[in-house]
């Protein structure tokens, strides 16, 4: 499957073996419960590569072609470390991913030790706090995702009490903590704190505790494969309050898995401004639809931007020297479809817009950028 995708992508771009190849590693879960997001990430990157190869970039006077080395990490930290080591052994110089914070934490060490320039959307603040110079975050952090959801919940939804549940992953715990901390600062009371796992299917016990606590809403730090069934079980228990979350549940998969008809009453945050409110964003959506016959999900635009950010640095420095590319990106600015990419000393985005979304049927629709 991987080879077919690569060959199709390169053939469409007019690949010639006479041209220099620049191989970019890719890490995301493209099978398993989170496959919808991983495939979305992959296809955002492939769309960028198709465009770049069609445009033609020269490095040192020679035309180059980009390839994507696609790797399925299954959202599993151990598998992610193995893939990172394999990419290092193959002398890959650049990586888009990982997607999950739990994978990015251990894999980023292996990638950094191999001097692989890495672009991740993984949101746990600890990832960039490790101080790895080749690592850049191309999405919002939990600090931004969790706090902005809490601000919206307090100021727009006028909630007074909330129950917080996390899935014990690095992502889930991180975004839930940031939400809970900001909720308290906003004057909300956290009346229940529960946890589950990213493999769980039955949430009856913890939801029964939530019902007893009489919360106005539930915040879930985790992903759609649990968020959807959790919503279904909430409604079965008569819990009709809003379900809140970060970008992990900001996907049509949440609606599909919930099997809830009508208004889902779900709100979630995602890094970046509203794509359909900008000319660049709207054009990206149109190109993505034309290429893949479906709408982009959560982070296709970020992986698309990350690929263009890397290619721009290669073109600007006229080479693939990692140190020069890192310096160029760290000191520069790039205006992508998701927003501006400029970095602080930890290689977090200096300013990342966060958009609050809700659901209309299975469609994830933007409400407000904060």
């Amino acid at each position: 499957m991987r080879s077919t995708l690569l060959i199709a992508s390169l053939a469409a771009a007019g690949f010639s073996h006479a041209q220099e190849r620049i191989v970019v590693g890719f890490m995301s879960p493209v099978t398993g419960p989170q496959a919808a997001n991983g495939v979305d990430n992959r296809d955002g990157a492939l769309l960028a590569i198709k465009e770049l190869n069609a445009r033609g970039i020269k490095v040192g006077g020679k035309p180059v072609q980009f390839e994507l080395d696609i790797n399925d990490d299954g959202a599993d930290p151990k598998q992610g470390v193995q893939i990172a080591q394999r990419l290092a052994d193959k002398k890959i110089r650049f990586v888009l991913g990982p997607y999950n914070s739990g994978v990015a934490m251990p894999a980023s060490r292996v990638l950094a030790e191999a001097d692989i320039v890495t672009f991740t959307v993984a949101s746990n603040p600890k990832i960039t706090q490790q101080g790895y110079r080749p690592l850049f975050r191309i999405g919002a952090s939990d600090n931004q995702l969790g706090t902005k959801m809490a601000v919206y919940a307090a100021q727009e939804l006028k909630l007074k009490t909330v129950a917080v549940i996390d899935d014990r992953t690095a992502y889930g715990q991180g975004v839930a903590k940031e939400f809970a901390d900001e909720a308290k600062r906003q004057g909300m009371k956290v009346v229940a704190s529960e946890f589950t796992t990213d493999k769980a299917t039955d949430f009856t016990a913890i939801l029964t505790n939530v019902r007893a606590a009489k919360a106005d809403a539930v915040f879930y730090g985790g992903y759609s494969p649990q968020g959807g069934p959790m919503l279904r079980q909430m409604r079965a228990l008569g819990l009709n309050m809003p379900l809140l979350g970060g970008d992990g549940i900001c996907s049509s998969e949440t609606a599909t898995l919930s099997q809830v008809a009508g208004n889902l009453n779900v709100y979630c945050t995602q890094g970046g401004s509203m794509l359909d409110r900008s000319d660049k964003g709207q054009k990206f959506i149109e190109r993505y639809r034309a290429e893949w016959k479906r709408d982009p999900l959560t982070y296709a635009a970020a992986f698309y931007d990350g690929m263009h950010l890397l290619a721009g640095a290669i073109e600007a420095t006229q080479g693939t020297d990692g140190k020069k590319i890192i310096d160029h990106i760290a000191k520069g600015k790039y205006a992508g479809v998701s927003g501006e990419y400029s970095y602080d000393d930890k290689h977090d985005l200096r300013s990342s817009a966060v958009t609050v979304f809700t659901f209309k049927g299975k469609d994830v629709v933007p409400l407000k950028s904060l």
Side-chain angles (χ1 to χ4, degrees):
M1 184 65 175
R2 184 178 80 183
S3 296
T4 301
L5 283 166
L6 288 173
I7 291 168
S9 173
L10 296 169
F15 177 72
S16 166
H17 288 287
Q19 295 168 316
E20 296 289 331
R21 298 164 57 248
I22 297 178
V23 181
V24 179
F26 170 87
M27 297 176 63
S28 278
V30 294
T31 61
Q34 296 182 42
N37 291 102
V39 168
D40 187 55
N41 300 341
R42 178 199 69 194
D43 290 350
L46 284 173
L47 178 60
I49 285 178
K50 181 177 181 180
E51 293 175 359
L52 290 164
N53 288 344
R55 177 164 68 86
I57 289 178
K58 289 186 177 181
V59 174
K62 297 179 180 179
V64 298
Q65 290 280 313
F66 293 96
E67 291 184 30
L68 197 66
D69 188 321
I70 299 166
N71 297 273
D72 178 14
D73 61 36
D76 179 76
K78 291 182 180 179
Q79 194 167 323
V81 169
Q82 292 170 356
I83 289 170
Q85 187 59 60
R86 186 159 67 245
L87 291 169
D89 292 343
K90 291 167 68 174
K91 307 300 182 185
I92 297 292
R93 296 183 179 185
F94 313 106
V95 164
L96 293 169
Y99 167 68
N100 304 85
S101 292
V103 177
M105 281 295 291
S108 60
R109 177 184 59 80
V110 177
L111 296 170
E113 288 177 351
D115 293 322
I116 297 172
V117 184
T118 303
F119 305 89
T120 184
V121 296
S123 59
N124 191 295
K126 293 179 181 178
I127 293 167
T128 50
Q129 290 170 5
Q130 296 174 105
Y132 296 141
R133 182 166 165 73
L135 177 67
F136 293 88
R137 199 193 311 270
I138 54 172
S141 71
D142 290 342
N143 294 339
Q144 296 156 323
L145 296 170
T147 57
K148 295 295 177 66
M149 187 72 259
V151 169
Y152 188 86
Q155 298 182 6
E156 303 289 338
L157 300 179
K158 308 298 183 183
L159 301 176
K160 302 299 182 184
T161 62
V162 65
V164 177
I165 304 170
D166 74 72
D167 67 355
R168 296 287 96 172
T169 64
Y171 163 72
Q173 286 183 289
V175 74
K177 181 183 184 302
E178 296 298 334
F179 172 86
D181 289 347
E182 183 62 27
K184 293 170 187 175
R185 288 192 288 268
Q186 292 288 326
M188 285 190 289
K189 185 178 181 181
V190 178
V191 294
S193 296
E194 302 285 343
F195 65 87
T196 181
T197 74
D198 61 345
K199 305 293 189 298
T201 57
D202 186 356
F203 310 100
T204 305
I206 59 177
L207 292 175
T208 299
N209 293 340
V210 168
R211 184 170 60 181
K214 298 182 178 179
D216 292 337
V218 172
F219 180 90
Y220 175 57
Y223 299 95
S224 294
Q226 283 65 51
M230 182 180 292
L231 180 63
R232 181 174 68 248
Q233 292 169 40
M234 284 174 61
R235 302 301 183 246
L237 288 169
L239 297 172
N240 296 314
M241 74 276 278
L243 175 66
L244 315 176
D247 53 348
I249 67 166
C250 237
S251 165
S252 57
E253 189 181 12
T254 298
T256 300
L257 294 174
S258 75
Q259 299 177 6
V260 173
N263 180 21
L264 268 65
N265 202 12
V266 173
Y267 300 85
C268 54
T269 47
Q270 181 179 320
S273 57
M274 292 186 243
L275 287 179
D276 63 354
R277 302 294 173 87
S278 71
D279 184 57
K280 278 188 176 182
Q282 187 60 51
K283 287 180 178 177
F284 165 76
I285 293 171
E286 291 170 0
R287 291 194 298 270
Y288 188 98
R289 284 174 181 161
E291 185 71 20
W292 306 114
K293 314 307 178 192
R294 64 177 188 278
D295 286 345
L297 297 178
T298 309
Y299 280 120
F303 276 77
Y304 173 91
D305 280 347
M307 187 61 229
H308 276 287
L309 175 66
L310 170 61
I314 290 171
E315 191 171 20
T317 61
Q318 282 295 290
T320 56
D321 182 277
K323 291 182 180 178
K324 291 181 180 179
I325 286 170
I326 291 166
D327 286 342
H328 176 82
I329 294 172
K331 296 174 182 177
K333 293 181 181 180
Y334 170 69
V337 299
S338 284
E340 183 179 86
Y341 294 78
S342 64
Y343 288 93
D344 63 17
D345 58 357
K346 290 186 177 67
H347 291 179
D348 280 324
L349 292 171
R350 290 187 183 277
S351 176
S352 176
V354 171
T355 299
V356 179
F357 290 79
T358 190
F359 288 76
K360 289 185 178 179
K362 292 183 180 180
D363 295 330
V364 185
V365 296
L367 290 173
K368 185 177 184 178
S369 287
L370 302 172

